Amino acid sequence: MAAAPPPKADELQPHPPKEQLAGVSFCITSPPPWRMHDVLKDANVFLTLVILYAAEAIILGFQHFIVMLGTTVIIPSALVPQMGGGNEEKARVVQTILFVAGINTLLQTFFGTRLPVIMGGSYIFVAPTISIILAGRYSNETDPHEKFLRTMRGTQGALIIASTIQIILGFSGLWRNVLKLLSPLSAVPLVSLVGFGLYELGFPGVAKCVEVGLPELILLVVFSQYLPQVLHFGKDVFGRFGVLFTISIVWLYAYILTIGGAYKNSPPKTQVHCRVDRSGLIAGAPWISVPYPFQWGAPTFDAGEAFAMMMTSFIAIVESTGAFIGASRYASATMIPPSIISRGVGWQGIGILIGSFFGTASGTSVSVENIGLLALTRVGSRRVVQISAGFMIFFSILGTLSADYISSGKPGKFGALFASIPLPIFAGMYCLFFAYVGGVGLSFLQFCNLNSFRTKFIMGFAFFMGLSIPQYFNEYTAVAGYGPVHTGARWFNDMINVPFSSKPFVAGLVAYVLDNTLQVKDARKDRGYHWWDKFRSYKKDARSTEFYSLPFNLNKFFPSV
């Protein structure tokens, strides 16, 4: 077979690989210009610029808060009613999740990976929590409130034990040793399905109220992608603040539909998803409420529930690893060293431990939608996310998500506006955010040889199995009411059914095993392993110190390797 002729000098060549993502307005260490060193002679002008610059960072942080609000509300809405709680308990759980998310985000951005990531509630913990709810030891409780308290205490105990997995694997460096064998090829399915694997929360959520969710999706695409191309002014404004613009427009539209009687005779489910006054999510919280440890009582422990939650905690490690890698790309940082990911996992474990003390009914992991927001705004600043954490703590203490008028029809507390945002609006945003995260996973293929049959097999097989196996487990569960593994021990069932229902876990496991066992010696360059050699040790590249070093010279006491 004849070889292709060599390319001419003026012919287009493939785009060269880039260790850092170009086109980001503000990277991890360069926040929106909220800085004092550009001192102007005119004090009034200087003060005006400082206010404007500070406002930009604050508004971007508030935007991150709004985006993470969807998951914060969805998880308690799914769990608390099954636990026996009502609107008051739901309100307190939402506020507790917000409070803990703010604390954990600050810990992660200051002492963990130092990436601009939001640490919020995780969907992966929903299944084992439901398993605890359905446990026989709670079924005989007739008082709903008492059942809620007992179930919450059982969940707290399981999460306390589960957090030790992440703390041990992270701070001992064991997870670092696992990640040293991770190549760009095996990272592609893992990171991609961290985003693409959440497709069920995208358009299916939009379709629950298509007249509200679809306008949000379309407007967000127009504001963030098209308007910056056609307008000669304010290009950055529409790209960076498109979420706030579109939420305001669509929420107002939903409000007009609600007060206009568009859903007056609609089915109850339609009213819940479409109306701005029928969410019933979080009514009845006090004006000021400070969550505190063991507010539901002393945790209780059960060995089976703890084992199941420990396995779920391990799955959360895998998924958060993919999220950390994706966030490092959108923050325009270099590949995050394994020791830094391991450090972040350890702090994530501490976050789960804190959440279990306060009683969030769910574990903590990286918020995938907020990584997508980094891409949408092209602002990967760590400071912006820290400001967002401040909003979480502030609003949780002030009972910002409580909404008297949801139940009474009268104007209520400050946070009523947020509580009334229909969830299909969030689903419309997820269509973009999760797609961005999936896309950044595919971008690591630039380091791989795509003309290699080995590369094609590993990538394709990992993607296919990462989608196919969880689909089988989920379909089986939907039809039978329990997973394919169904024994008398519920905890054992969860230990098998939960991990194989996770798309990122299955895809990452398949890719990792194949990539490290199939023709490894001859495929070093094909798998892109050499591109990440300089980042496998923290001290090999000076940029790692710039992006990931601890503040206050703490690296002297807690060195990275």
Side-chain angles (χ1 to χ4, degrees), residues 112-448:
T113 59
R114 307 221 67 207
L115 288 169
V117 293
I118 300 292
M119 304 301 295
S122 174
Y123 290 106
I124 191 65
F125 289 92
V126 171
T129 302
I130 292 177
S131 181
I132 293 175
I133 294 171
L134 299 177
R137 62 189 180 126
Y138 306 117
S139 59
N140 295 327
E141 184 59 59
T142 56
D143 182 12
H145 180 68
E146 187 62 28
K147 180 181 179 181
F148 168 80
L149 292 178
R150 289 186 59 193
T151 308
M152 177 63 79
R153 294 166 188 164
T155 303
Q156 288 181 263
L159 285 171
I160 288 174
I161 302 299
S163 67
T164 60
I165 291 292
Q166 297 196 10
I167 293 173
I168 293 173
L169 289 178
F171 289 132
S172 69
L174 292 175
W175 193 242
R176 173 195 66 207
N177 295 332
V178 172
L179 294 180
K180 284 185 176 180
L181 298 178
L182 187 73
S183 73
L185 177 57
S186 53
V188 168
L190 170 62
V191 181
S192 294
L193 288 192
V194 166
F196 292 148
L198 295 173
Y199 59 82
E200 296 171 350
L201 301 176
F203 199 81
V206 171
K208 290 179 179 178
C209 187
V210 70
E211 62 268 32
V212 172
L214 190 58
E216 171 64 28
L217 172 57
I218 295 174
L219 283 177
L220 189 55
V221 172
V222 171
F223 270 71
S224 64
Q225 307 300 323
Y226 287 97
L227 286 185
Q229 294 184 21
V230 300
L231 295 180
H232 298 289
F233 62 93
K235 292 183 177 181
D236 291 338
V237 172
F238 291 107
R240 292 181 191 172
F241 307 111
V243 168
L244 293 181
F245 284 132
T246 57
I247 281 184
S248 301
I249 294 171
V250 179
W251 177 85
L252 178 61
Y253 167 63
Y255 176 76
I256 293 173
L257 290 178
T258 300
I259 63 175
Y263 306 110
K264 187 175 182 180
N265 299 316
S266 299
K269 286 188 177 181
T270 301
Q271 295 197 32
V272 167
H273 291 117
C274 297
R275 294 179 66 101
V276 300
D277 59 352
R278 288 292 185 272
S279 61
L281 294 175
I282 35 183
W287 269 101
I288 296 178
S289 175
V290 181
Y292 55 91
F294 309 118
Q295 57 186 330
W296 313 112
T300 59
F301 298 89
D302 179 86
E305 294 169 0
F307 279 122
M309 198 66 82
M310 287 170 68
M311 175 56 72
T312 306
S313 181
F314 179 76
I315 308 308
I317 293 178
V318 177
E319 294 190 1
S320 290
T321 295
F324 285 141
I325 295 173
S328 68
R329 190 72 179 169
Y330 279 136
S332 193
T334 52
M335 171 57 188
I336 179 171
S339 61
I340 304 301
I341 296 181
S342 191
R343 187 175 75 194
V345 166
W347 279 103
Q348 180 174 280
I350 291 180
I352 294 177
L353 184 63
I354 294 173
S356 63
F357 287 162
F358 280 84
T360 57
S362 174
T364 298
S365 68
V366 180
S367 172
V368 179
E369 54 266 34
N370 287 89
I371 297 176
L373 183 59
L374 298 179
L376 186 76
T377 60
R378 300 190 181 184
V379 176
S381 168
R382 183 190 299 131
R383 178 178 294 167
V384 166
V385 170
Q386 291 168 343
I387 292 173
S388 177
F391 277 116
M392 298 174 210
I393 296 173
F394 175 77
F395 285 143
S396 66
I397 292 176
L398 288 185
T400 184
L401 288 175
S402 54
D404 286 334
Y405 80 97
I406 287 179
S407 57
S408 65
K410 300 177 181 179
K413 302 163 190 174
F414 178 66
L417 175 68
F418 304 141
S420 65
I421 299 175
L423 294 180
I425 292 181
F426 289 102
M429 294 188 293
Y430 292 164
C431 292
L432 265 71
F433 297 151
F434 296 157
Y436 262 127
V437 177
V440 77
L442 296 176
S443 71
F444 293 114
L445 287 172
Q446 65 181 301
F447 303 116
C448 308

Side-chain angles (χ1 to χ4, degrees), residues 114 340 343 538-539 544-545 548-561:
R114 307 221 67 207
I340 304 301
R343 187 175 75 194
Y538 174 76
K539 297 181 180 180
S544 295
T545 303
Y548 305 113
S549 62
L550 294 173
F552 317 121
N553 288 325
L554 290 177
N555 274 65
K556 294 181 179 179
F557 306 99
F558 304 99
S560 299
V561 295

Side-chain angles (χ1 to χ4, degrees), residues 423-481:
L423 294 180
I425 292 181
F426 289 102
M429 294 188 293
Y430 292 164
C431 292
L432 265 71
F433 297 151
F434 296 157
Y436 262 127
V437 177
V440 77
L442 296 176
S443 71
F444 293 114
L445 287 172
Q446 65 181 301
F447 303 116
C448 308
N449 179 11
L450 294 180
N451 294 314
S452 165
F453 280 93
R454 178 186 184 274
T455 299
K456 296 179 187 299
F457 167 70
I458 293 177
M459 180 180 62
F461 188 66
F463 266 104
F464 184 83
M465 299 308 289
L467 294 172
S468 186
I469 292 178
Q471 182 68 17
Y472 164 72
F473 274 75
N474 293 331
E475 284 185 0
Y476 192 105
T477 303
V479 174

